Amino acid sequence: MNLEFTPEENAFRAEVRAFIEANHPKHLEGMGNREDMSPEDMTAWHKILGKKGWSAPAWPTEYGGTGWDSTQRYIWSEENARVGTFMPLPFGISMVAPVIYSFGNDEQKKRHLPGILSGDVWWCQGYSEPGAGSDLASLKTTAVRDGDHYVLNGQKTWTTLAQYADWGFFLCRTDPDAPKPQQGISFILVDMKTPGIEVKPIKLIDGGYEVNETWLTDVRVPVENLVGVENQGWTYAKFLLAHERSGIAGVARSKRGVEKLREIAANETLDGAPLMQDLDFARKVSQLEIDLAALEITELRTLAGEQAGKGPGPESSILKIKGTEIQQRLTELTLEAVGSYGTPMYGSITDAGSNEYPIGPDYAQHSAATYFNMRKTSIYGGSNEIQRNIITKMILGL
Ligand SMILES: Cc1cc2nc3c(=O)[nH]c(=O)nc-3n(C[C@H](O)[C@H](O)[C@H](O)COP(=O)(O)OP(=O)(O)OC[C@H]3O[C@@H](n4cnc5c(N)ncnc54)[C@H](O)[C@@H]3O)c2cc1C
């Protein structure tokens, strides 16, 4: 494994850095995953990248991918992390699109891929149900054929940002009598404006509105919105989950986060001295950096393997577990560093018309909300316990 970048790769880095500096909206720098971002803010960078042809680096070039190799994609994520861009949401670009271009028909590719690339069409994921999360195959939402339509009934939950979605991809049971629960599931694309769809907010502890309950009552969906073969949806669902998991490690963003944490801890004081000089705090930051360096090497090794033609395989579960644990520790330490400035809830202050002012330094304002929000990372994309089960079976062979 060669960890040095080649002159061509360094030139590529200079090119993407210059593009980001010239084109990324300055007011969005470092917004990260803020609970008060508007939908326009969330799609702004995606739309700029869409015009440049850089919104979907991992797609095959025939559908609009950049043709970058995995090292170039790694450099791309590092350069975006450097300024804290808000990357295209995963639901279109890295979840449903690979399913559509791999298993969809020509009509579906023509209809859906351009809007996903440009960032003009917002997608949501209708997989989980109140009784079907880790055990997704037990899902109960039904799609019953009625002439040239399916009629959908059921309840999905945790549907991220469905309040803005134009389209959703839903897993529905089309054969309730199939011998195994994994059989008899279909993958259906649904226009979110179809009558019978009700999206109800779930308020989160960080004060944000990110997830929803999605109720489906007699929702009529044209049969041509079925992807692939009826009752084979489980195959496409698993294919999509592998895409969802890759990328959750977020090494480049955590590296930038540690740099910021060091800046905060150099500014904050404990007993009159910079917090960074406190041995206990410094030890925790160093341990985090060591774990992050180990994760980075693991990710680079995976990339080197990909370059040599090996798929990411079950090691993506290691990246997911370690990456999300590090993200959570990073936000814990940031909250610890800002101390009591982290306690005010800023949801109402950022509302239009509020005349209150935030207390303390800028970096403290969203530290508690971010800390709470990041608890989700060990749950979504398949919980970390489930990833450990995968490692036990697929890597350790137990
Ligand atoms: C912020 C957020 C956003 C999400 N967005 C979406 C979305 O857009 N669309 C969507 O469809 N879903 C979404 N999800 C749902 C997510 O995929 C599920 O929460 C996740 O799969 C876990 O399912 P569950 O919540 O039903 O927990 P459960 O499956 O009920 O699990 C509860 C606990 O038991 C553990 N557990 C369960 N089974 C096992 C086992 N076999 N071995 C060991 N431990 C086990 C789990 O690890 C967990 O700790 C989101 C979740 C969150 C938190």
Side-chain angles (χ1 to χ4, degrees), residues 125 127-128 133-134 158-160 211 376 379 383 385-386 389:
Q125 177 187 27
Y127 272 31
S128 305
S134 303
W158 306 121
T159 340
T160 300
V211 285
K376 69 188 176 188
I379 303 171
S383 76
E385 288 79 14
I386 296 297
N389 288 351

Side-chain angles (χ1 to χ4, degrees), residues 272-290:
L275 177 61
M276 211 49 227
Q277 287 176 16
D278 176 70
L279 287 184
D280 185 44
F281 192 82
R283 183 190 55 75
K284 286 190 270 190
V285 175
S286 298
Q287 187 60 55
L288 185 67
E289 285 178 315
I290 292 165

